[in-house]
Amino acid sequence: MTNKAKVTANQGEPLIHIERILNGTPEKVFKAVTTKELIEKWWVGPGYTITAEELDPRAGGTWKYVQTTDDGQKATFYGVYHEVSPERVIQTFEFDGLPERGHVILEKMELHATEDGKTRITITQAFFSVADRDGLLQNGMEEGLQKTYTKLDEVLASM
């Protein structure tokens, strides 16, 4: 059985809560989310590849990933790190494919060791509005998230 992420979006709240058990220690997960070559292996989706063009995982550092579809179309995701530690990463998240700028997400990811040597990852994403949150959910966010975490588990197993 596949280990699926639990995604919760309560009515009227501009938040998404995500929780999942990952098959690696918090140290491995932290390395996988802060290392360019590893991110490019697991930050995937249906029919595209990812290039981490910028990755400076420290407070004030930036990140920028370019997604390229099989037919050559590109989309860019980017943000700024506010806190980076082995227990927690706080960052902004933006997507350049929207008709207007300013749909910024503030994301807090926390890594918790489990008794069996795995990691419980909890993520809280805060949006400016419920409409922004719902737009992300309606555009396949959860499907992509599930595939990404499955791939992350494969990368963790190979580390």
Side-chain angles (χ1 to χ4, degrees):
M1 175 183 273
T2 302
N3 178 12
K4 290 188 72 172
K6 178 182 177 187
V7 178
T8 305
N10 296 320
Q11 186 172 349
E13 291 182 355
L15 303 171
I16 294 177
H17 301 281
I18 302 163
E19 185 171 326
R20 189 179 189 278
I21 300 297
L22 294 170
N23 294 318
T25 64
E27 295 79 18
K28 282 185 176 182
V29 174
F30 181 72
K31 183 176 181 179
V33 301
T34 58
T35 304
K36 177 187 185 319
E37 296 78 16
L38 296 174
I39 290 167
E40 291 176 347
K41 291 180 180 179
W42 66 263
W43 214 80
V44 299
Y48 68 82
T49 58
I50 198 81
T51 302
E53 287 192 354
E54 295 177 25
L55 185 65
D56 185 8
R58 62 176 177 83
T62 60
W63 64 274
K64 178 180 173 183
Y65 305 157
V66 177
Q67 167 186 302
T68 305
T69 61
D70 290 342
D71 62 2
Q73 295 183 19
K74 294 183 185 290
T76 303
F77 301 85
Y78 57 95
V80 175
Y81 291 104
H82 294 266
E83 179 182 338
V84 179
S85 73
E87 299 81 30
R88 180 176 39 246
V89 176
I90 299 175
Q91 65 185 18
T92 59
F93 183 102
E94 289 188 69
F95 169 57
D96 76 351
L98 297 174
E100 63 184 9
R101 301 270 325 237
H103 297 276
V104 180
I105 302 166
L106 181 62
E107 179 177 277
K108 177 174 71 172
M109 174 186 70
E110 297 175 286
L111 305 176
H112 308 275
T114 64
E115 291 181 9
D116 59 355
K118 296 179 181 181
T119 300
R120 181 171 48 88
I121 187 172
T122 58
I123 295 174
T124 302
Q125 295 177 326
F127 297 77
F128 280 115
S129 69
V130 173
D132 280 358
R133 181 207 63 188
D134 290 349
L136 182 68
L137 290 168
Q138 292 164 3
N139 282 304
M141 170 268 199
E142 188 170 351
E143 178 185 358
L145 177 79
Q146 300 297 353
K147 290 178 181 179
T148 295
Y149 282 152
T150 298
K151 191 66 175 173
L152 177 55
D153 267 341
E154 292 173 14
V155 170
L156 292 169
S158 71
M159 291 173 65

